[in-house]
Amino acid sequence: AEYMGELNSVIMAFRLTADLIQSSPHFLNPCNELELDLRGNRIPAIENLGATRDQYDAIDLSNNEITVLEGFPLMERLTTLTLNNNRVQEISPSIGMFLPNLTDLTLTGNFLKRLGDLAPLRSLTSLLRLSLVGNPVTKDPVYRAFVVAVNPRIRVLDYCKVKAAERAQ
């Protein structure tokens, strides 16, 4: 029983809590956005972001253990979300309802495998720039055309401008 108590306290130490949010660095980034830095905390799931009171333009959740892109409250101010090097393999179909003004999404180095995994990107109606470099799905020969068809507003995909010919496919 003592071992289980220790294990539970270790698991709790990696949760995204209001205390972690309040104690994490926040600063004006080079793009002049107020950014919350939650990198490298071994966070397994997105939760408790209501504690930010929607006061950040950018949130960096890189180098954590997040598997599903979900759990956001309504965050109207957030325009940039970075989740490099996590374990993301699923995107919530309702993500756009909670991140209505998201223009930049970086999911480099995650585990998205199938084109269907990207269908929820359709709900991100403000998305202009998306990176999925290093995800298995990028090896699919119709990957770029699929992403552009799912969300035609995307202007830059994997750091390369979307060409008119790709939109015509």
Side-chain angles (χ1 to χ4, degrees), residues 91-167:
I91 301 171
S92 168
S94 61
I95 191 167
M97 286 180 16
F98 299 99
L99 306 176
N101 298 310
L102 192 71
T103 58
D104 296 82
L105 177 58
T106 305
L107 290 166
T108 300
N110 280 284
F111 298 138
L112 294 161
K113 294 183 177 114
R114 299 178 323 249
L115 293 174
D117 296 337
L118 306 180
L121 295 173
R122 177 179 287 114
S123 73
L124 292 169
T125 57
S126 298
L127 193 63
L128 300 174
R129 289 168 289 278
L130 172 66
S131 175
L132 295 165
V133 171
N135 282 271
V137 70
T138 62
K139 292 179 173 68
D140 189 298
V142 297
Y143 152 74
R144 284 184 68 88
F146 180 85
V147 170
V148 172
V150 163
N151 191 327
R153 290 163 298 284
I154 293 174
R155 299 286 172 248
V156 178
L157 178 57
D158 297 338
Y159 307 106
C160 295
K161 188 174 179 185
V162 175
K163 296 177 176 62
E166 290 176 300
R167 292 191 187 288

Side-chain angles (χ1 to χ4, degrees), residues 10-114:
V10 168
I11 289 169
M12 294 296 285
F14 298 133
R15 289 190 59 201
L16 180 51
T17 63
D19 287 341
L20 178 60
I21 290 166
Q22 298 305 320
S23 65
S24 291
H26 52 274
F27 50 88
L28 208 55
N29 70 19
C31 295
N32 207 31
E33 300 168 320
L34 186 57
E35 180 171 332
L36 176 62
D37 182 353
L38 294 167
R39 298 172 64 99
N41 288 297
R42 297 164 74 184
I43 298 164
I46 296 169
E47 57 186 342
N48 299 315
L49 283 177
T52 67
R53 294 177 302 221
D54 195 20
Q55 60 185 337
Y56 296 99
D57 304 299
I59 296 178
D60 190 344
L61 284 157
S62 296
N63 305 316
N64 282 294
E65 309 284 329
I66 297 165
T67 58
V68 183
L69 197 53
E70 67 178 0
F72 293 93
L74 178 60
M75 301 185 84
E76 294 179 296
R77 183 170 172 179
L78 189 69
T79 58
T80 303
L81 183 60
T82 307
L83 285 109
N84 294 320
N85 304 317
N86 274 274
R87 300 174 185 275
V88 175
Q89 50 195 328
E90 184 181 339
I91 301 171
S92 168
S94 61
I95 191 167
M97 286 180 16
F98 299 99
L99 306 176
N101 298 310
L102 192 71
T103 58
D104 296 82
L105 177 58
T106 305
L107 290 166
T108 300
N110 280 284
F111 298 138
L112 294 161
K113 294 183 177 114
R114 299 178 323 249

